[in-house]
Amino acid sequence: MKLIKVGLLTFFISQVAAAEVDVSLANGTEKEELKREQIFRLIEQHDLKKWWFTDKIIIDESARSPFSHPVLTLKASMPNNDHAGLSQLLHEQIHWFEDARKEEVDNTVAELRKIYTSVPVGFPAGARSEFSTYLHLAVCLMELDALTHILGKEKAEEVIATNGKYFYKWIYKTVLQDQAQLREILKNNRLYI
Protein backbone atom coordinates (compact mmCIF):
# COMPACT_ATOMS: atom_id res chain seq x y z
CA MET A 1 0.00 0.00 0.00
CA LYS A 2 1.32 3.45 -0.98
CA LEU A 3 1.07 6.50 1.25
CA ILE A 4 0.89 9.87 -0.44
CA LYS A 5 1.12 12.91 1.80
CA VAL A 6 -0.67 16.06 0.81
CA GLY A 7 -0.37 18.67 3.48
CA LEU A 8 -2.07 17.07 6.49
CA LEU A 9 -3.97 14.50 4.41
CA THR A 10 -2.73 11.00 3.65
CA PHE A 11 -4.00 8.98 0.70
CA PHE A 12 -3.63 5.22 0.46
CA ILE A 13 -2.59 4.15 -3.02
CA SER A 14 -2.33 0.42 -3.64
CA GLN A 15 -0.52 0.28 -6.98
CA VAL A 16 2.80 1.96 -6.12
CA ALA A 17 5.07 0.00 -3.72
CA ALA A 18 5.13 0.88 -0.03
CA ALA A 19 6.86 4.23 0.33
CA GLU A 20 5.77 7.82 0.69
CA VAL A 21 5.33 10.04 -2.33
CA ASP A 22 5.87 13.70 -1.62
CA VAL A 23 4.14 15.82 -4.28
CA SER A 24 4.63 19.50 -3.54
CA LEU A 25 3.59 22.67 -5.33
CA ALA A 26 6.19 25.32 -6.15
CA ASN A 27 3.75 28.23 -6.21
CA GLY A 28 0.48 26.87 -4.80
CA THR A 29 -1.52 27.84 -7.90
CA GLU A 30 -4.76 26.27 -9.04
CA LYS A 31 -3.04 24.84 -12.15
CA GLU A 32 -0.42 23.19 -9.96
CA GLU A 33 -3.11 21.71 -7.73
CA LEU A 34 -4.92 20.30 -10.79
CA LYS A 35 -1.66 18.71 -11.93
CA ARG A 36 -1.12 17.19 -8.47
CA GLU A 37 -4.63 15.74 -8.65
CA GLN A 38 -3.72 14.25 -12.02
CA ILE A 39 -0.60 12.60 -10.54
CA PHE A 40 -2.70 11.03 -7.78
CA ARG A 41 -5.27 9.92 -10.33
CA LEU A 42 -2.59 8.26 -12.47
CA ILE A 43 -1.12 6.47 -9.45
CA GLU A 44 -4.59 5.27 -8.44
CA GLN A 45 -5.54 4.07 -11.93
CA HIS A 46 -2.31 2.40 -13.05
CA ASP A 47 0.28 0.08 -11.59
CA LEU A 48 3.39 2.25 -12.00
CA LYS A 49 5.76 0.53 -9.57
CA LYS A 50 7.95 -0.93 -12.33
CA TRP A 51 8.77 2.62 -13.51
CA TRP A 52 8.84 4.37 -10.13
CA PHE A 53 12.34 5.47 -9.04
CA THR A 54 11.87 8.61 -6.96
CA ASP A 55 9.15 9.54 -4.51
CA LYS A 56 9.74 13.30 -4.42
CA ILE A 57 7.92 15.36 -7.06
CA ILE A 58 7.53 19.11 -7.44
CA ILE A 59 4.92 20.68 -9.69
CA ASP A 60 6.03 24.08 -10.94
CA GLU A 61 3.81 26.13 -13.22
CA SER A 62 6.72 28.44 -14.02
CA ALA A 63 9.11 25.68 -15.18
CA ARG A 64 10.03 25.94 -18.87
CA SER A 65 9.89 22.17 -19.21
CA PRO A 66 9.76 19.12 -16.95
CA PHE A 67 13.08 17.81 -15.62
CA SER A 68 14.24 14.90 -13.53
CA HIS A 69 17.06 16.20 -11.32
CA PRO A 70 17.82 17.18 -8.67
CA VAL A 71 14.12 16.72 -7.88
CA LEU A 72 11.62 15.37 -10.40
CA THR A 73 9.79 18.52 -11.49
CA LEU A 74 6.71 18.60 -13.68
CA LYS A 75 5.07 21.54 -15.41
CA ALA A 76 1.46 22.20 -14.50
CA SER A 77 0.47 21.66 -18.14
CA MET A 78 -2.29 19.38 -19.44
CA PRO A 79 -3.84 18.36 -16.11
CA ASN A 80 -6.88 16.99 -17.94
CA ASN A 81 -4.91 14.98 -20.51
CA ASP A 82 -4.00 11.91 -18.49
CA HIS A 83 -2.18 10.16 -21.33
CA ALA A 84 0.13 13.16 -21.81
CA GLY A 85 0.55 13.48 -18.03
CA LEU A 86 1.41 9.80 -17.74
CA SER A 87 3.96 10.14 -20.55
CA GLN A 88 5.58 13.12 -18.83
CA LEU A 89 5.69 11.39 -15.42
CA LEU A 90 7.12 8.13 -16.80
CA HIS A 91 9.71 9.99 -18.88
CA GLU A 92 11.12 11.80 -15.85
CA GLN A 93 11.02 8.66 -13.66
CA ILE A 94 13.00 6.78 -16.35
CA HIS A 95 15.74 9.42 -16.11
CA TRP A 96 16.15 8.37 -12.46
CA PHE A 97 16.55 4.75 -13.58
CA GLU A 98 19.28 5.74 -16.03
CA ASP A 99 21.01 8.05 -13.56
CA ALA A 100 21.90 5.06 -11.39
CA ARG A 101 23.51 3.19 -14.33
CA LYS A 102 26.43 5.28 -15.62
CA GLU A 103 28.39 2.42 -17.19
CA GLU A 104 25.30 1.02 -18.93
CA VAL A 105 24.41 4.51 -20.20
CA ASP A 106 27.93 5.10 -21.52
CA ASN A 107 27.98 1.72 -23.31
CA THR A 108 24.54 2.33 -24.81
CA VAL A 109 25.43 5.83 -26.02
CA ALA A 110 28.66 4.50 -27.58
CA GLU A 111 26.67 1.90 -29.51
CA LEU A 112 24.04 4.45 -30.57
CA ARG A 113 26.79 6.77 -31.88
CA LYS A 114 27.85 4.03 -34.31
CA ILE A 115 24.32 3.69 -35.71
CA TYR A 116 23.29 7.35 -35.64
CA THR A 117 26.51 9.15 -36.57
CA SER A 118 24.87 12.56 -36.66
CA VAL A 119 22.03 13.58 -34.36
CA PRO A 120 20.19 16.87 -33.94
CA VAL A 121 20.94 19.05 -30.94
CA GLY A 122 18.47 21.55 -29.54
CA PHE A 123 14.75 22.20 -29.60
CA PRO A 124 12.58 21.01 -31.29
CA ALA A 125 14.32 18.05 -33.00
CA GLY A 126 16.85 16.97 -30.38
CA ALA A 127 17.79 17.41 -26.76
CA ARG A 128 20.05 20.07 -25.21
CA SER A 129 23.33 18.35 -26.16
CA GLU A 130 24.54 15.57 -28.43
CA PHE A 131 24.93 13.22 -25.45
CA SER A 132 21.44 14.10 -24.23
CA THR A 133 19.96 13.37 -27.66
CA TYR A 134 21.52 9.89 -27.58
CA LEU A 135 20.39 9.42 -23.98
CA HIS A 136 16.85 10.40 -24.94
CA LEU A 137 16.69 7.67 -27.57
CA ALA A 138 16.91 5.28 -24.63
CA VAL A 139 14.59 7.26 -22.33
CA CYS A 140 11.92 7.72 -25.00
CA LEU A 141 12.05 4.06 -26.08
CA MET A 142 11.44 3.00 -22.46
CA GLU A 143 8.73 5.66 -22.20
CA LEU A 144 7.05 4.11 -25.26
CA ASP A 145 7.35 0.61 -23.80
CA ALA A 146 5.98 1.69 -20.41
CA LEU A 147 3.03 3.40 -22.11
CA THR A 148 2.49 0.29 -24.25
CA HIS A 149 2.34 -1.87 -21.14
CA ILE A 150 -0.14 0.49 -19.47
CA LEU A 151 -2.26 1.81 -22.37
CA GLY A 152 -1.71 -0.68 -25.19
CA LYS A 153 0.42 -0.40 -28.33
CA GLU A 154 -1.89 1.75 -30.45
CA LYS A 155 -2.55 4.38 -27.77
CA ALA A 156 1.11 4.43 -26.68
CA GLU A 157 2.33 5.06 -30.21
CA GLU A 158 -0.30 7.78 -30.61
CA VAL A 159 0.93 9.54 -27.44
CA ILE A 160 4.57 9.31 -28.56
CA ALA A 161 3.70 10.55 -32.06
CA THR A 162 1.81 13.50 -30.54
CA ASN A 163 4.76 14.35 -28.31
CA GLY A 164 6.95 14.24 -31.43
CA LYS A 165 4.92 16.97 -33.08
CA TYR A 166 6.07 19.47 -30.44
CA PHE A 167 9.45 18.45 -28.98
CA TYR A 168 12.18 15.84 -29.43
CA LYS A 169 10.83 15.54 -32.97
CA TRP A 170 13.73 13.53 -34.38
CA ILE A 171 14.06 11.45 -31.20
CA TYR A 172 10.41 10.38 -31.04
CA LYS A 173 10.28 9.74 -34.80
CA THR A 174 13.39 7.57 -34.55
CA VAL A 175 12.01 5.70 -31.53
CA LEU A 176 8.81 4.87 -33.42
CA GLN A 177 10.69 3.83 -36.57
CA ASP A 178 13.54 1.91 -34.96
CA GLN A 179 11.96 0.68 -31.73
CA ALA A 180 12.92 -3.00 -32.15
CA GLN A 181 16.57 -2.13 -32.84
CA LEU A 182 16.73 0.37 -29.97
CA ARG A 183 15.08 -2.10 -27.58
CA GLU A 184 17.68 -4.73 -28.45
CA ILE A 185 20.54 -2.27 -27.86
CA LEU A 186 19.16 -1.31 -24.45
CA LYS A 187 18.64 -4.92 -23.44
CA ASN A 188 22.13 -5.91 -24.62
CA ASN A 189 23.61 -3.12 -22.51
CA ARG A 190 21.50 -3.90 -19.41
CA LEU A 191 19.79 -0.51 -19.67
CA TYR A 192 16.20 -1.64 -20.03
CA ILE A 193 13.38 -1.67 -17.52
Side-chain angles (χ1 to χ4, degrees):
M1 180 125 340
K2 185 79 169 173
L3 292 174
I4 296 185
K5 287 188 172 182
V6 182
L8 299 175
L9 300 174
T10 300
F11 294 88
F12 294 95
I13 308 299
S14 61
Q15 283 79 12
V16 179
E20 289 189 6
V21 176
D22 176 10
V23 180
S24 59
L25 308 180
N27 306 295
T29 66
E30 183 179 344
K31 284 179 76 174
E32 290 175 352
E33 180 57 45
L34 289 172
K35 186 67 173 186
R36 177 166 51 191
E37 290 171 11
Q38 180 186 55
I39 299 300
F40 295 157
R41 189 169 57 246
L42 293 170
I43 292 169
E44 289 173 350
Q45 292 174 356
H46 305 290
D47 183 358
L48 303 178
K49 66 181 169 273
K50 182 176 181 178
W51 304 280
W52 204 264
F53 300 97
T54 181
D55 289 325
K56 186 162 178 56
I57 299 171
I58 297 172
I59 300 169
D60 187 351
E61 181 178 357
S62 63
R64 281 189 52 190
S65 61
F67 53 91
S68 58
H69 287 76
V71 177
L72 194 155
T73 302
L74 301 175
K75 291 176 55 168
S77 61
M78 298 180 284
N80 296 315
N81 182 337
D82 283 359
H83 293 152
L86 181 61
S87 175
Q88 184 184 80
L89 177 62
L90 290 169
H91 182 103
E92 300 310 330
Q93 286 283 355
I94 291 166
H95 275 297
W96 279 82
F97 168 79
E98 287 187 333
D99 189 56
R101 290 159 179 80
K102 181 176 178 1
E103 182 180 347
E104 291 87 346
V105 166
D106 289 344
N107 292 340
T108 299
V109 168
E111 192 168 340
L112 291 171
R113 285 181 191 276
K114 293 175 187 172
I115 297 165
Y116 306 102
T117 57
S118 176
V119 297
V121 174
F123 181 82
R128 70 179 178 275
S129 69
E130 182 183 80
F131 181 85
S132 186
T133 296
Y134 286 115
L135 180 69
H136 275 85
L137 286 169
V139 171
C140 295
L141 182 276
M142 288 187 278
E143 176 187 351
L144 169 65
D145 286 357
L147 289 169
T148 298
H149 181 84
I150 296 164
L151 303 175
K153 183 174 177 57
E154 184 177 326
K155 192 63 184 173
E157 289 184 353
E158 179 184 318
V159 171
I160 293 298
T162 300
N163 288 350
K165 291 179 183 177
Y166 304 101
F167 57 95
Y168 297 153
K169 289 181 175 189
W170 178 86
I171 296 168
Y172 280 124
K173 178 183 174 191
T174 302
V175 163
L176 287 171
Q177 288 176 347
D178 299 346
Q179 58 185 282
Q181 180 181 19
L182 291 168
R183 193 174 295 113
E184 183 176 334
I185 291 168
L186 268 61
K187 288 180 177 181
N188 290 342
N189 287 290
R190 298 179 329 276
L191 190 68
Y192 186 77
I193 301 169

Short mmCIF file of all heavy atoms in Angstrom, two decimals, residues 11 16 26-27 55 62 71 75 78 98 111-112 133 150 153 159-160 163 171 183 192:
data_model
loop_
_atom_site.label_atom_id
_atom_site.label_comp_id
_atom_site.label_asym_id
_atom_site.label_seq_id
_atom_site.Cartn_x
_atom_site.Cartn_y
_atom_site.Cartn_z
N PHE A 11 -3.23 9.82 1.60
CA PHE A 11 -4.00 8.98 0.70
C PHE A 11 -3.35 7.61 0.64
O PHE A 11 -2.13 7.50 0.59
CB PHE A 11 -4.02 9.58 -0.72
CG PHE A 11 -4.75 10.88 -0.81
CD1 PHE A 11 -4.07 12.07 -0.58
CD2 PHE A 11 -6.08 10.92 -1.12
CE1 PHE A 11 -4.72 13.27 -0.66
CE2 PHE A 11 -6.75 12.12 -1.20
CZ PHE A 11 -6.07 13.30 -0.97
N VAL A 16 1.39 1.63 -6.22
CA VAL A 16 2.80 1.96 -6.12
C VAL A 16 3.33 1.36 -4.82
O VAL A 16 2.68 1.45 -3.80
CB VAL A 16 3.02 3.48 -6.18
CG1 VAL A 16 4.48 3.84 -6.04
CG2 VAL A 16 2.48 4.05 -7.47
N ALA A 26 5.19 24.25 -6.23
CA ALA A 26 6.19 25.32 -6.15
C ALA A 26 5.56 26.66 -5.81
O ALA A 26 6.13 27.47 -5.09
CB ALA A 26 6.97 25.42 -7.45
N ASN A 27 4.37 26.92 -6.36
CA ASN A 27 3.75 28.23 -6.21
C ASN A 27 2.35 28.19 -5.60
O ASN A 27 1.76 29.23 -5.35
CB ASN A 27 3.66 28.92 -7.59
CG ASN A 27 5.01 28.98 -8.26
OD1 ASN A 27 5.91 29.66 -7.78
ND2 ASN A 27 5.17 28.25 -9.35
N ASP A 55 10.43 9.25 -5.15
CA ASP A 55 9.15 9.54 -4.51
C ASP A 55 8.96 11.02 -4.19
O ASP A 55 8.01 11.39 -3.54
CB ASP A 55 9.02 8.74 -3.20
CG ASP A 55 8.83 7.26 -3.47
OD1 ASP A 55 8.17 6.92 -4.47
OD2 ASP A 55 9.33 6.45 -2.68
N SER A 62 5.81 27.54 -13.35
CA SER A 62 6.72 28.44 -14.02
C SER A 62 7.90 27.73 -14.69
O SER A 62 8.71 28.38 -15.37
CB SER A 62 7.26 29.48 -13.02
OG SER A 62 8.00 28.84 -12.00
N VAL A 71 15.41 17.24 -8.32
CA VAL A 71 14.12 16.72 -7.88
C VAL A 71 13.22 16.64 -9.10
O VAL A 71 13.18 17.58 -9.90
CB VAL A 71 13.47 17.63 -6.81
CG1 VAL A 71 12.10 17.12 -6.41
CG2 VAL A 71 14.37 17.77 -5.58
N LYS A 75 5.83 20.32 -15.12
CA LYS A 75 5.07 21.54 -15.41
C LYS A 75 3.62 21.29 -15.00
O LYS A 75 3.19 20.15 -14.87
CB LYS A 75 5.11 21.84 -16.91
CG LYS A 75 6.46 22.27 -17.42
CD LYS A 75 6.46 22.46 -18.91
CE LYS A 75 5.39 23.44 -19.33
NZ LYS A 75 5.51 23.88 -20.71
N MET A 78 -1.40 20.48 -19.05
CA MET A 78 -2.29 19.38 -19.44
C MET A 78 -2.81 18.52 -18.28
O MET A 78 -2.76 17.30 -18.33
CB MET A 78 -1.58 18.49 -20.48
CG MET A 78 -1.25 19.22 -21.74
SD MET A 78 -0.44 18.19 -22.97
CE MET A 78 1.22 18.08 -22.29
N GLU A 98 18.02 5.62 -15.29
CA GLU A 98 19.28 5.74 -16.03
C GLU A 98 20.38 6.39 -15.19
O GLU A 98 21.55 6.02 -15.32
CB GLU A 98 19.08 6.54 -17.31
CG GLU A 98 18.34 5.79 -18.37
CD GLU A 98 18.32 6.53 -19.68
OE1 GLU A 98 18.40 7.78 -19.68
OE2 GLU A 98 18.22 5.87 -20.71
N GLU A 111 27.25 2.73 -28.44
CA GLU A 111 26.67 1.90 -29.51
C GLU A 111 25.72 2.72 -30.39
O GLU A 111 25.72 2.57 -31.62
CB GLU A 111 25.94 0.71 -28.89
CG GLU A 111 25.57 -0.34 -29.91
CD GLU A 111 25.10 -1.65 -29.29
OE1 GLU A 111 25.40 -1.91 -28.10
OE2 GLU A 111 24.42 -2.39 -30.01
N LEU A 112 24.96 3.60 -29.79
CA LEU A 112 24.04 4.45 -30.57
C LEU A 112 24.81 5.40 -31.49
O LEU A 112 24.37 5.68 -32.60
CB LEU A 112 23.12 5.23 -29.63
CG LEU A 112 22.08 4.41 -28.87
CD1 LEU A 112 21.37 5.26 -27.82
CD2 LEU A 112 21.07 3.78 -29.83
N THR A 133 20.77 13.91 -26.57
CA THR A 133 19.96 13.37 -27.66
C THR A 133 20.10 11.85 -27.71
O THR A 133 19.10 11.13 -27.81
CB THR A 133 20.34 14.00 -29.01
OG1 THR A 133 20.04 15.41 -28.97
CG2 THR A 133 19.57 13.37 -30.17
N ILE A 150 0.98 -0.08 -20.23
CA ILE A 150 -0.14 0.49 -19.47
C ILE A 150 -1.35 0.77 -20.34
O ILE A 150 -2.49 0.47 -19.95
CB ILE A 150 0.32 1.78 -18.75
CG1 ILE A 150 1.41 1.44 -17.72
CG2 ILE A 150 -0.85 2.49 -18.08
CD1 ILE A 150 2.19 2.65 -17.23
N LYS A 153 -0.51 -0.84 -27.27
CA LYS A 153 0.42 -0.40 -28.33
C LYS A 153 -0.11 0.78 -29.14
O LYS A 153 0.59 1.76 -29.36
CB LYS A 153 0.72 -1.58 -29.25
CG LYS A 153 1.73 -1.27 -30.35
CD LYS A 153 2.08 -2.51 -31.14
CE LYS A 153 3.01 -2.27 -32.29
NZ LYS A 153 4.27 -1.64 -32.00
N VAL A 159 0.41 8.56 -28.40
CA VAL A 159 0.93 9.54 -27.44
C VAL A 159 2.34 9.97 -27.83
O VAL A 159 2.66 11.16 -27.85
CB VAL A 159 0.90 8.97 -26.00
CG1 VAL A 159 1.64 9.89 -25.02
CG2 VAL A 159 -0.53 8.74 -25.53
N ILE A 160 3.19 9.01 -28.18
CA ILE A 160 4.57 9.31 -28.56
C ILE A 160 4.61 10.14 -29.85
O ILE A 160 5.37 11.09 -29.96
CB ILE A 160 5.38 8.00 -28.70
CG1 ILE A 160 5.55 7.32 -27.34
CG2 ILE A 160 6.73 8.25 -29.37
CD1 ILE A 160 6.31 8.12 -26.30
N ASN A 163 3.62 13.66 -28.93
CA ASN A 163 4.76 14.35 -28.31
C ASN A 163 5.73 14.83 -29.39
O ASN A 163 6.22 15.96 -29.34
CB ASN A 163 5.53 13.41 -27.37
CG ASN A 163 4.78 13.09 -26.09
OD1 ASN A 163 3.77 13.70 -25.77
ND2 ASN A 163 5.29 12.11 -25.36
N ILE A 171 13.93 12.55 -32.18
CA ILE A 171 14.06 11.45 -31.20
C ILE A 171 12.81 10.58 -31.22
O ILE A 171 12.91 9.35 -31.36
CB ILE A 171 14.32 12.01 -29.79
CG1 ILE A 171 15.66 12.76 -29.76
CG2 ILE A 171 14.29 10.89 -28.75
CD1 ILE A 171 15.89 13.59 -28.50
N ARG A 183 15.40 -1.21 -28.71
CA ARG A 183 15.08 -2.10 -27.58
C ARG A 183 16.17 -3.15 -27.40
O ARG A 183 16.62 -3.44 -26.29
CB ARG A 183 13.72 -2.74 -27.81
CG ARG A 183 13.12 -3.41 -26.61
CD ARG A 183 11.70 -3.88 -26.90
NE ARG A 183 10.80 -2.75 -27.13
CZ ARG A 183 10.23 -2.46 -28.31
NH1 ARG A 183 10.43 -3.24 -29.37
NH2 ARG A 183 9.43 -1.42 -28.43
N TYR A 192 17.60 -1.50 -19.62
CA TYR A 192 16.20 -1.64 -20.03
C TYR A 192 15.38 -2.03 -18.81
O TYR A 192 15.77 -2.92 -18.05
CB TYR A 192 16.08 -2.70 -21.12
CG TYR A 192 14.69 -2.79 -21.70
CD1 TYR A 192 14.22 -1.84 -22.60
CD2 TYR A 192 13.84 -3.82 -21.33
CE1 TYR A 192 12.95 -1.91 -23.13
CE2 TYR A 192 12.55 -3.90 -21.84
CZ TYR A 192 12.12 -2.94 -22.74
OH TYR A 192 10.84 -3.01 -23.25
#
